[in-house]
Amino acid sequence: KIGAPKKIHEGERSVALTPEVALQLSKLGLFAVEARAGTTASFTDESFSAAACEMVSSIKQLWVQSDSVRKVQVTEDDETLLLKFDEI
């Protein structure tokens, strides 16, 4: 499963993927998006749901369920604690 978290940096308005890209990727397998991940980039949770993405409520849930996480910015220190051993 591929995951896309919401942004955590001040003023960041991007998202790692659009609902259209998520739809294409979801055809290859499961895709999870953290709730409100696309809000600042003008994408609604509903648009990701319509693209067959599973919406998750927390960053921890996203990292635990995902085999790969897509971000625009670097991984933060607190996020590295959520990495699985074989992802390092």
Side-chain angles (χ1 to χ4, degrees), residues 1-60:
K1 184 183 290 190
I2 301 169
K6 65 182 175 183
K7 303 304 154 201
I8 56 176
H9 292 276
E10 184 69 33
E12 188 175 4
R13 302 181 64 82
S14 57
V15 63
L17 72 155
T18 65
E20 293 80 16
V21 171
L23 177 61
Q24 295 303 312
L25 292 173
S26 68
K27 293 177 182 176
L28 303 173
L30 297 176
F31 202 94
V33 177
E34 185 180 5
R36 298 173 304 285
T39 302
T40 58
S42 301
F43 297 113
T44 64
D45 287 351
E46 292 76 20
S47 64
F48 283 106
S49 292
C53 294
E54 174 189 353
M55 300 306 295
V56 297
S57 60
S58 72
I59 187 67
K60 182 176 182 179

